[in-house]
Amino acid sequence: MKQRILAILLLSIYHLTASGQKKPDEINFVRQGVQRMIFEENQSIPLARLEPANIIGISAMHPAQHRLKNRSDITIDKNRLVLTSKEKSETAIWFGGFNPFATYTIDLDALSGEGEIGFEFAGNGEQVLMTVNVKDNVLNDVQFKTSLAAAKSIMVKQQEPVNIRGKIILQMLGSGLVLYHHSTGLPKVIGQVDFDMNMDLRAKDRIHTFQSNLFVRLTNGQAIINRADMALTTGMGLADIRPITCENGDPYLDQGRLWYTMSIRGRALPHHIQGVFSMNPTVFDVKLEGIILFDRNDGLLRNEVASHIFYDRRTATWRGITTGFSAYANPGKEKKQLLAVESKRDPRFGFSVMNAAPFGVVGDIEDPHILYDQAAKKWRILTCVNQDGYKAVVLESDHWNKGYNQVAGPVKHNSTGTSITKINGRYYCFSGSSEREIFIYTYPDLKEAGTLKMDLPPWDSTANTRVWPNVVQMPEGYPFRFVSLMMDRYNYPGMKGPNWTYGAIYLYHGY
């Protein structure tokens, strides 16, 4: 009996040792699920709402301003807000504060006659007006106007007439916007514009003082509105997926969930928003938890993305590195660079702001992953530098937020979504690429160590393959030892001009 127990123990030790020696290129990743989040209502984080069914005392809850001599009649009928006017009228109905990174939605039952409906953002004598021009429920135009400029059409032409009944979705993106209409199928892009930076809506004084109004202009017509909402949303695509970690690179497991930063996609490079999501790694329940903005102490809140956020347990501080894509909102005036970010407050939930500062890593550099290497007593960043295409490099410093020098790389392969992961007690570097492979490198010297095995990668023969690997090793007790959450690079249809609006998210378990 003793010999049998000893044999079992020796066999268990052998298997544990063999398992511990498994290399990343020997792990088999099997796809578990895929989903594309498109303005998911059950994921929205509410900021404000105008809900006619629950209004008692509309003059106090949602006061109206009548801008012309003729005043529209405002009533609530069958749980709908009804505005009626036989002559030209302009009405602004208050329903919330202002957030230039939120999604605004009007659920429109009908607009008969001639008129416009949309949103007004106003304060301190300034105004921004975003409306759709409608005649008997058919879309004629999309108009954008500010205090500094006359109204202009920003309509994206449609192949067929658009019956405007349904949802009008305004995705505010800091330095621009996209307007959608949704009745059935995918929401359709019907308008888009970049803002005049002479009236920067990211300015903190405007965020603090502007109000959001439901705006209706009628010319012998009637508008019937089911509700209006202002919320933080998933947008129509997610990308740049990276686990939130501890300072040494270990995944930050909290409440039984992994935590991720993802870029909530907008349109072009300066229009994305840094989202925070969580997921129980044993299932596929990805959940929007909040968004993070970044304050460089210049009066603006910036929507940087492709961040790596970590919790520094030694100082009880949330820190990280982000990529300064907001520089593209002011081309020629600002430089793209990496930024060091920090917050004492937990930034994972709701609407959060982290302090941000340059630290000397300037240029076409992106996708940073930072960790503190306890053995080397060094801070190290794995990132991508555009040197005849993006290539992975390792930077090193004695300090988390200054004094970095390049110590490895560039690698020869195209690189994207660079990350450092501990596999069976040893750090490895991972990178997506344009070569239909996810490359594995040794740490910290970036020697090639194989490629990732996947049964169904997040691309096909027609798709761009520069994805983010995000391999995480789970503690003992999970039904699998590795999990990876990746995205594809299929852009959202209907955008005009530069378009970085991918993608769907893919879950893999590694065995």
Side-chain angles (χ1 to χ4, degrees):
M1 184 68 178
K2 289 182 180 179
Q3 289 179 336
R4 185 180 177 186
I5 293 173
L6 180 60
I8 292 172
L9 286 172
L10 288 173
L11 186 63
S12 299
I13 291 169
Y14 170 80
H15 283 304
L16 284 171
T17 303
S19 174
Q21 292 175 345
K22 186 176 286 293
K23 297 178 181 178
D25 63 337
E26 298 172 331
I27 303 166
N28 294 300
F29 283 88
V30 180
R31 191 198 288 186
Q32 305 297 313
V34 62
Q35 59 178 310
R36 178 117 185 190
M37 292 190 181
I38 301 174
F39 299 111
E40 300 291 327
E41 284 194 41
N42 64 347
Q43 295 272 3
S44 296
I45 300 173
L47 297 175
R49 178 172 296 167
L50 190 160
E51 194 163 14
N54 295 334
I55 293 176
I56 299 174
I58 188 171
S59 59
M61 290 179 66
H62 299 284
Q65 300 178 42
H66 299 276
R67 302 287 169 73
L68 300 178
K69 182 178 179 180
N70 183 66
R71 298 162 64 100
S72 63
D73 292 325
I74 304 173
T75 58
I76 295 176
D77 180 49
K78 298 178 181 178
N79 295 330
R80 302 171 302 175
L81 182 68
V82 181
L83 287 83
T84 307
S85 182
K86 293 183 177 180
E87 299 180 32
K88 189 171 183 178
S89 66
E90 289 185 3
T91 310
I93 301 176
W94 182 92
F95 84 98
F98 174 65
N99 189 312
F101 309 98
T103 298
Y104 293 77
T105 304
I106 298 171
D107 187 344
L108 181 64
D109 187 273
L111 201 162
S112 57
E114 293 185 50
E116 295 178 51
I117 187 168
F119 294 101
E120 177 191 66
F121 310 116
N124 293 331
E126 296 180 314
Q127 180 200 51
V128 176
L129 194 59
M130 171 76 249
T131 61
V132 294
N133 185 295
V134 179
K135 184 173 182 179
D136 292 328
N137 294 317
V138 176
L139 176 67
N140 286 331
D141 199 4
V142 179
Q143 294 274 319
F144 180 75
K145 176 184 179 298
T146 75
S147 307
L148 303 180
K152 65 177 180 180
S153 174
I154 62 167
M155 184 174 177
V156 174
K157 299 295 184 182
Q158 306 297 307
Q159 293 182 345
E160 298 178 355
V162 176
N163 185 320
I164 203 65
R165 298 178 70 176
K167 290 183 178 178
I168 301 167
I169 303 171
L170 172 60
Q171 189 185 19
M172 296 287 284
L173 301 164
S175 56
L177 62 80
V178 178
L179 191 72
Y180 303 81
H181 175 257
H182 185 219
S183 55
T184 59
L186 289 175
K188 295 179 180 178
V189 178
I190 60 174
Q192 62 182 61
V193 71
D194 287 344
F195 299 148
D196 182 350
M197 290 296 98
N198 292 316
M199 189 176 175
D200 198 329
L201 297 184
R202 301 171 300 168
K204 288 190 284 185
D205 58 353
R206 292 189 175 96
I207 295 172
H208 296 160
T209 59
F210 271 29
Q211 303 281 327
S212 298
N213 298 320
L214 175 66
F215 184 89
V216 180
R217 180 184 286 128
L218 294 173
T219 303
N220 189 21
Q222 185 180 72
I224 303 175
I225 299 151
N226 294 317
R227 59 187 283 174
D229 293 274
M230 171 185 173
L232 306 178
T233 73
T234 62
M236 46 45 193
L238 299 172
D240 307 338
I241 306 168
R242 185 180 301 291
I244 294 175
T245 68
C246 300
E247 77 287 341
N248 67 344
D250 289 346
Y252 189 85
L253 268 168
D254 181 33
Q255 304 169 45
R257 302 178 72 81
L258 290 170
W259 297 79
Y260 294 89
T261 51
M262 304 187 201
S263 298
I264 297 170
R265 306 314 263 183
R267 181 166 28 96
L269 290 177
H271 300 134
H272 311 312
I273 299 166
Q274 187 60 82
V276 179
F277 294 75
S278 69
M279 183 185 73
N280 182 327
T282 66
V283 293
F284 196 20
D285 65 343
V286 176
K287 178 185 177 185
L288 174 64
E289 301 283 0
I291 69 170
I292 303 174
L293 282 304
F294 301 96
D295 188 350
R296 290 180 58 177
N297 199 30
D298 61 356
L300 304 179
L301 293 185
R302 295 171 178 269
N303 46 317
E304 317 296 11
V305 292
S307 309
H308 175 207
I309 305 300
F310 67 91
Y311 183 64
D312 194 334
R313 294 167 294 185
R314 303 168 310 164
T315 60
T317 305
W318 294 88
R319 289 173 168 162
I321 307 294
T322 192
T323 309
F325 281 109
S326 71
Y328 288 103
N330 275 317
K333 296 181 180 179
E334 296 185 11
K335 295 180 179 180
K336 180 182 177 183
Q337 59 189 301
L338 300 185
L339 303 167
V341 303
E342 190 171 30
S343 171
K344 277 291 185 181
R345 176 184 175 270
D346 188 340
R348 291 177 294 158
F349 303 99
F351 183 83
S352 297
V353 177
M354 298 186 76
N355 294 322
F359 62 105
V361 184
V362 181
D364 196 358
I365 302 165
E366 54 191 52
D367 304 357
H369 186 119
I370 183 174
L371 61 77
Y372 182 69
D373 188 325
Q374 180 66 39
K377 306 296 183 185
K378 296 287 186 182
W379 289 93
R380 288 182 173 141
I381 297 175
L382 177 66
T383 188
C384 306
V385 180
N386 192 348
Q387 299 178 356
D388 191 27
Y390 290 98
K391 307 289 177 62
V393 299
V394 172
L395 311 178
E396 182 181 273
S397 176
D398 294 326
H399 310 276
W400 79 275
N401 60 348
K402 64 180 180 180
Y404 279 90
N405 295 300
Q406 184 173 320
V407 295
V411 300
K412 68 178 182 180
H413 298 288
N414 175 269
S415 308
T416 191
T418 41
S419 60
I420 308 171
T421 302
K422 188 178 286 185
I423 303 294
N424 297 321
R426 180 178 177 183
Y427 289 122
Y428 289 89
C429 299
F430 292 81
S431 171
S433 76
S434 60
E435 301 176 44
R436 320 195 75 73
E437 297 282 3
I438 290 174
F439 289 98
I440 305 167
Y441 299 96
T442 58
Y443 166 91
D445 52 0
L446 293 180
K447 304 298 182 184
E448 292 188 35
T451 58
L452 204 66
K453 292 180 181 177
M454 292 176 287
D455 65 334
L456 291 169
W459 59 72
D460 62 14
S461 60
T462 65
N464 192 313
T465 66
R466 297 178 63 239
V467 304
W468 291 47
N470 300 312
V471 175
V472 173
Q473 182 165 0
M474 302 305 301
E476 291 287 349
Y478 281 84
F480 45 84
R481 290 308 309 276
F482 302 94
V483 62
S484 179
L485 198 61
M486 305 189 206
M487 86 277 185
D488 66 24
R489 292 178 66 106
Y490 280 97
N491 283 329
Y492 196 86
M495 301 286 178
K496 301 301 179 183
N499 183 2
W500 284 269
T501 53
Y502 44 86
I505 51 178
Y506 295 68
L507 175 65
Y508 296 83
H509 292 166
Y511 303 93

